[in-house]
Structure formats: structure tokens, C-alpha cells
Amino acid sequence: MTKVQPQPITADLRRWIASQLDIGATAQDIVLSMQASGWSPGVAQGALAEALDSRAVLAAADAAMAKVGPAGHLPEPAIADGSHTLVAAGHTVHVACSMRRPRVVVFDDLLTADECEALVELARPRLARSETVDHATGGNEVNAARTSEGMFFSRGETPLIAHVEARIAALLNWPVDRGEGLQVLRYGPGAEYRPHHDYFDPAQPGSTSVLRRGGQRVATLVIYLKAPARGGATVFPDVDLDVAPVRGSAVFFSYDKPHASTRTLHGGAPVFEGEKWVATKWLREDVFT
Ligand code: PD2
Ligand code: ZN
């Protein structure tokens, strides 16, 4: 008896469907092309429904943002009135602590344990040794200062990712389309990310090409998906602040200029025991393409 192999919805397939939707292909065209390439009708329709669902979530998030007007100068949660419980896209998030200069806010319960686990499992098969931007060329390079493994999701890649991005957009009052795709990092014992700034140094020749895709980074949100037993804090050496990695929590910080005077130097301290997983969302001043 021949066994029918299940056909998984792969990242490549999701990207292909997204590109077809971008160029205006109809649902019927997409399903027919998939069937012609050997996908079963059920999988083709399921993958398309998933892609349309993600798009609807992101479109609703951007429509909600349009109602509150254009993005302000910097991403910022609405806590100026003393609120420490925020409802973002229907999900309740708690403010654990905040600092004014540099602007740092720690959130609890940004993601549920199930959401953290699902993101880890989606990312796991796609991990590779982390790269950083080569300042001279704007390309990527493996860097000894970053001993984690990582991968990038594209924006709205799955309905879960679209929901998380809509929640982040609502929490930080910054449109989804001004964010890079989520990056997931895994740190094993001994792995670390030495202190650095997340903005692109305008003086470096390699920054020109990255700045063309949405301008400067203006804020970072590091979400803890899995906490190590010891080590792995996110550290801010300029202000002697260590943020403990707690599953579902996140640290947000913003920087109004690409300069060390923002005191946003930060790093991932070495993991001593267990594994640390994070998802990082970088926010740009303009639409990220
Ligand atoms: O994993 C961290 O704690 C960390 C520290 C510094 C992540 C990043 N930077 C980053 O993703 O930029
Ligand atoms: Zn960083």
C-alpha cells in the first residue's frame, strides 16, 4: 500500500503565496498553480486561508493605528497617565518597571506560555549561526561577539506572528509596517551577545543600503520566549541595569538618534545554565520594505 506523505506548509510556500498576493494574483490562480505543482487541493486551500488570515490581522492593526493618527516621534507605550495595565489588540500586558533616560520599559505577560512555545518550535528548524551587519559593506557576517543562533520570520508570516505583531504595534503605538520581521535567537550555555547599539552608524559605508529599507532603527523590543536557569540577562552597561529573562516578558528601549549619548548600549549576558530564547522586534522610523 502506498503511504500518502503529509505536505507541510513550509516557509518557502508561505513566502511564495505572499508574493503572489502582492502581485495581485487571485485566490483561484494561486490554488490552481499550487495544484499544478503537486500540492493537494486541501493543503493548497489551507495554506492560502492561513496567508489571507495573517493579512487580515495586519490590515486591521494598521487601520486601528490610522485612527489614532500618524505615528509620533518615537514608539512609546501609553503609560504617561500612570497606567500599568495595558490592553493591546485585546491582550492584557503589565508594566513591570520603566526608566526615563534611557527610555526602557519592561513588560510582563506580553506573550502567553503557549505563544512562546509555538514561536520557538516554528523557529527551531530554521536556526543558523547568528550574523550581524558588516559595517563596511552592509552585508551580513558571522561575528564572534554574537555566539547565539538565529533566524528571521517575515512580517505576518503566519497568523500567530501576525497577531503578535499587531499586539506589539498597539502596545508601542507604532504601525506594523514600520517594524522589521521578528528575529528569533537561541543562546546555549556560554553563548552571549556582547554590548552593542542597535541603530546603524550613519558614518559606516555599509549603513547606506540598510537605511534605504525604512530609515533608522528607533526602538527595540526583546521578548523572552524561554528563560535559562542562570545568566542571560539583557544588560545596559551605561546605566548598570540588568533585565532578567522571564518567559513571556519583554524589554523595550528607544533611541531618538543614532548616537551613544542615548545610553542604549546593551548586550545579552552569557547564559550559565539552560537555554535562552528571545524574539527581537526592531522598529524603524519609516515603512520597512
Ligand atoms: O538577547 C538579548 O538579551 C539581546 C541583547 C542585546 C538581544 C539583542 N541585543 C538584540 O536582539 O538586539
Ligand atoms: Zn541588540
Side-chain angles (χ1 to χ4, degrees):
M1 194 176 79
T2 42
K3 189 162 180 275
V4 179
Q5 293 296 324
Q7 292 179 307
I9 303 172
T10 60
D12 278 347
L13 177 61
R14 288 188 175 109
R15 267 192 289 273
W16 179 81
I17 294 175
S19 69
Q20 295 303 297
L21 290 169
D22 284 344
I23 60 171
T26 66
Q28 195 185 19
D29 293 340
I30 294 173
V31 171
L32 287 177
S33 318
M34 284 182 66
Q35 281 180 240
S37 311
W39 294 91
S40 72
V43 173
Q45 277 158 14
L48 179 66
E50 198 190 73
L52 290 170
D53 192 11
S54 302
R55 276 181 185 237
V57 171
L58 296 186
D62 279 343
M65 202 65 62
K67 277 194 210 119
V68 296
H73 182 52
L74 282 178
E76 175 67 15
I79 58 175
D81 66 353
S83 298
H84 37 73
T85 299
L86 300 170
V87 179
H91 180 93
T92 301
V93 179
H94 297 102
V95 177
C97 67
S98 62
M99 184 183 240
R100 286 184 187 80
R101 281 177 54 81
R103 187 51 163 162
V104 179
V105 182
V106 178
F107 298 107
D108 285 337
D109 310 311
L110 176 59
L111 298 190
T112 66
D114 285 351
E115 288 169 336
C116 291
E117 204 47 49
L119 286 177
V120 164
E121 293 315 321
L122 269 177
R124 193 189 292 282
R126 287 160 61 183
L127 290 180
R129 174 73 196 268
S130 292
E131 295 180 330
T132 45
V133 175
D134 178 340
H135 298 294
T137 65
N140 290 338
E141 59 173 3
V142 170
N143 188 326
R146 194 176 188 186
T147 45
S148 52
E149 296 170 287
M151 55 78 63
F152 272 96
F153 288 115
S154 41
R155 230 171 27 211
E157 187 175 316
T158 71
L160 169 64
I161 291 166
H163 278 290
V164 169
E165 289 173 333
R167 190 178 303 164
I168 294 171
L171 181 69
L172 301 177
N173 295 298
W174 206 251
V176 169
D177 64 7
R178 293 188 189 198
E180 298 180 31
L182 275 173
Q183 185 202 43
V184 173
L185 294 178
R186 183 193 84 99
Y187 303 75
E192 66 177 321
Y193 194 173
R194 293 204 200 121
H196 58 275
H197 294 98
D198 281 353
Y199 53 74
F200 304 109
D201 181 350
Q204 294 289 343
S207 296
T208 314
S209 58
V210 281
L211 287 172
R212 251 186 242 124
R213 302 179 60 195
Q216 261 302 346
R217 286 178 175 163
V218 290
T220 305
L221 181 75
V222 177
I223 311 170
Y224 305 107
L225 303 179
K226 211 183 249 296
R230 280 188 312 119
T234 303
V235 298
F236 293 80
D238 288 345
V239 288
D240 289 337
L241 173 67
D242 293 3
V243 178
V246 173
R247 185 173 65 180
S249 297
V251 58
F252 161 78
F253 51 99
S254 61
Y255 23 99
D256 61 356
K257 51 175 116 42
H259 196 271
S261 62
T262 56
R263 300 201 291 173
T264 54
L265 185 71
H266 66 288
V271 167
F272 295 137
E273 191 184 336
E275 275 188 356
K276 170 189 171 191
W277 288 69
V278 300
T280 302
K281 172 64 84 176
W282 286 294
L283 303 177
R284 296 291 191 103
E285 56 188 337
D286 294 317
V287 172
F288 177 74
T289 50

